[in-house]
Amino acid sequence: MQLPNKSPIKCAVGLFGLICTLANPAQAAEQPAWTQGEWDLNLRYRFEQADDKLNRKAKASTLRAGFTYRSAEVGGFSALAEVEHVSTIGGETYNDGGTNDKTEYAVILDPEGTEINQAYLQFNGLPNTTLRYGRQEIFHRKTPFHRFIGTVAFRQNHQSMDGFRVQSNPTPNLAFDGGYIYNVNRIFGEDNDLPNRSDHDLDGLLARLEYTGIQGMAIEGYFYDLDFTNALTLSTQTFGAKIWGDIPMGDGWVAHYSAERGQQNDTGDNPHDLSLAYWAGSAGVTLKQWNGLTAKLSHERMEGDGTMAFQFPLATLHAHQGWTDKFLAIPTTGLRDTYVTVQGQAGPVGLLFAWHGFKAEMGGFDYGWEWGFQATAKPTKRLSVGFKFADYEADGNPLNTGATARDTTKFWAWMQLAL
């Protein structure tokens, strides 16, 4: 199915203006709905340093300004528009992935630029249902773990999608989130010179169903049919299921578990014949008497056949497979990621430690291992600060080649203010 090639921004704004007039012409003339809306400004400064032991050490000092307007509701309809602007402070000494030609430096994917990140029309006139059309941020699962569909909100230029979305809760324990998308506004920026970087054109069907009616358990089923027109090897049909939950153990102990199985096949004009599996599982415990200290052991396994591997083309990838981003694209030999996370609180500071061990799914050789540490705090209601460090140590075996064979360290420090 192919939708008309029209700007979702113009459609959303035009439709909302028409609805305001038809719903109540007198009110629209006296006090337009757009004057009754809310305005938000979100500022995030970040310093990032990357050393990949091949290119010059990169340093990025960037500021993201996100300006958002939410209209009042008229006859069940409302609208939202968001402009984001990313600027560098003190010059560019990093490779932003295709817009600044600083290829001698390591890559930090925060290009300068100004974009309309969101512009959509929303309808809430149906029971327990929200309909949206236009440019919007879409994510499935809780932030930041957008395993299949996400906003990549860690980066300064967020990912958004053009299309239609429906979210519905037909019963208190059942939630549906689905829709159709025809364009993806990627994190690389509209001015990116490299092929297929700025946008992805596609026919994409998204569907996720979650059931929470069983005590101590949640069940999810998902289906994603993504037929890309400018990245044919990413054209895939993915479906699967996940269960997870918490089990109170007494004396302030809570056990956590999850298990997931996914399947990915080729679709559309993908030149490859794919049939690849994905497995994931975790087990952990929270000690409430120790300020909610939580420790988890997790494992993810993505199949590869030597030519292609199980991929996540619309995910928030930074939250998975380590913070140094060595595995944003799963290697063609597949990947096994065994990792430990320990999360807790030291007074007002949130602490997180993570360790990953990476192996090839096909052949079983080692890629390397990574450890990372993060500290965050919220001094005021509107201000948050944090820093993060990650170090990837590559294995020296002869089968490990390319980017995964290079030691890499990264460091971040940020401050975010919501007004």
Side-chain angles (χ1 to χ4, degrees), residues 157-287:
N157 182 14
H158 294 183
Q159 175 173 276
S160 60
M161 304 174 191
D162 300 338
F164 173 77
R165 184 185 189 187
V166 55
Q167 295 172 278
S168 182
N169 294 88
T171 72
N173 297 317
L174 189 63
F176 173 77
D177 192 337
Y180 170 83
I181 60 172
Y182 56 92
N183 183 64
V184 180
N185 308 283
R186 309 185 72 202
I187 65 172
F188 302 98
E190 291 295 332
D191 298 327
N192 200 292
D193 296 328
L194 300 178
N196 304 328
R197 281 295 182 98
S198 62
D199 291 83
H200 271 327
D201 296 324
L202 76 162
D203 284 313
L205 295 176
L206 319 176
R208 177 182 182 268
L209 192 66
E210 180 179 320
Y211 179 70
T212 56
I214 303 173
Q215 185 175 2
M217 177 183 293
I219 304 173
E220 175 194 75
Y222 52 85
F223 174 79
Y224 304 112
D225 189 279
L226 309 176
D227 184 3
F228 292 86
T229 59
N230 64 341
L232 299 184
T233 58
L234 295 179
S235 293
T236 51
Q237 188 179 89
T238 304
F239 57 92
K242 178 182 179 180
I243 62 170
W244 72 98
D246 306 321
I247 304 174
M249 305 299 289
D251 296 327
W253 291 59
V254 178
H256 312 284
Y257 68 91
S258 70
E260 182 174 357
R261 170 68 164 88
Q263 178 67 32
Q264 190 169 87
N265 302 319
D266 59 286
T267 192
D269 293 324
N270 193 323
H272 300 283
D273 184 12
L274 302 181
S275 181
L276 302 167
Y278 168 68
W279 294 268
S282 68
V285 63
T286 293
L287 308 177

Side-chain angles (χ1 to χ4, degrees), residues 11-329:
C11 289
V13 173
L15 282 172
F16 184 68
L18 178 61
I19 290 161
C20 290
T21 303
L22 295 178
N24 193 333
Q27 181 182 356
E30 295 174 4
Q31 192 175 18
W34 64 266
T35 66
Q36 306 172 46
E38 298 179 351
W39 306 84
D40 295 325
L41 177 62
N42 189 286
L43 302 173
R44 180 170 64 189
Y45 169 78
R46 182 165 66 214
F47 173 80
E48 180 173 346
Q49 178 176 290
D51 183 2
D52 64 5
K53 305 301 186 290
L54 176 66
N55 302 288
R56 295 180 62 182
K57 184 183 295 185
K59 298 178 181 180
S61 176
T62 59
L63 176 66
R64 180 188 190 270
F67 184 73
T68 307
Y69 169 74
R70 298 174 181 83
S71 78
E73 189 171 291
V74 178
F77 287 90
S78 61
L80 180 143
E82 180 186 51
V83 177
E84 63 180 6
H85 173 74
V86 180
S87 57
T88 58
I89 300 174
E92 296 177 274
T93 55
Y94 67 100
N95 178 359
D96 70 3
T99 69
N100 65 0
D101 298 323
K102 302 282 186 176
T103 55
E104 69 272 23
Y105 291 98
V107 174
I108 297 177
L109 295 176
D110 284 330
E112 284 193 303
T114 303
E115 297 182 11
I116 295 179
N117 186 52
Q118 298 192 84
Y120 62 76
L121 180 70
Q122 179 169 296
F123 180 64
N124 289 320
L126 300 175
N128 304 314
T129 299
T130 297
L131 306 177
R132 287 180 184 172
Y133 172 71
R135 180 164 299 176
Q136 53 194 293
E137 290 189 351
I138 301 177
F139 60 89
H140 291 176
R141 300 186 182 176
K142 293 182 179 180
T143 300
F145 302 107
H146 308 156
R147 177 70 279 189
F148 291 97
I149 305 296
T151 64
V152 199
F154 179 77
R155 300 262 50 110
Q156 298 288 59
N157 182 14
H158 294 183
Q159 175 173 276
S160 60
M161 304 174 191
D162 300 338
F164 173 77
R165 184 185 189 187
V166 55
Q167 295 172 278
S168 182
N169 294 88
T171 72
N173 297 317
L174 189 63
F176 173 77
D177 192 337
Y180 170 83
I181 60 172
Y182 56 92
N183 183 64
V184 180
N185 308 283
R186 309 185 72 202
I187 65 172
F188 302 98
E190 291 295 332
D191 298 327
N192 200 292
D193 296 328
L194 300 178
N196 304 328
R197 281 295 182 98
S198 62
D199 291 83
H200 271 327
D201 296 324
L202 76 162
D203 284 313
L205 295 176
L206 319 176
R208 177 182 182 268
L209 192 66
E210 180 179 320
Y211 179 70
T212 56
I214 303 173
Q215 185 175 2
M217 177 183 293
I219 304 173
E220 175 194 75
Y222 52 85
F223 174 79
Y224 304 112
D225 189 279
L226 309 176
D227 184 3
F228 292 86
T229 59
N230 64 341
L232 299 184
T233 58
L234 295 179
S235 293
T236 51
Q237 188 179 89
T238 304
F239 57 92
K242 178 182 179 180
I243 62 170
W244 72 98
D246 306 321
I247 304 174
M249 305 299 289
D251 296 327
W253 291 59
V254 178
H256 312 284
Y257 68 91
S258 70
E260 182 174 357
R261 170 68 164 88
Q263 178 67 32
Q264 190 169 87
N265 302 319
D266 59 286
T267 192
D269 293 324
N270 193 323
H272 300 283
D273 184 12
L274 302 181
S275 181
L276 302 167
Y278 168 68
W279 294 268
S282 68
V285 63
T286 293
L287 308 177
K288 293 185 177 180
Q289 66 270 37
W290 289 7
N291 292 326
L293 180 69
T294 300
K296 284 187 179 182
L297 173 64
S298 306
H299 182 77
E300 283 188 280
R301 180 180 170 190
M302 287 70 71
E303 278 191 340
D305 60 11
T307 301
M308 296 292 295
F310 196 106
Q311 300 293 344
F312 307 90
L314 300 183
T316 297
L317 296 170
H318 179 76
H320 304 87
Q321 278 69 67
W323 296 331
T324 59
D325 293 337
K326 304 301 289 188
F327 297 94
L328 293 181

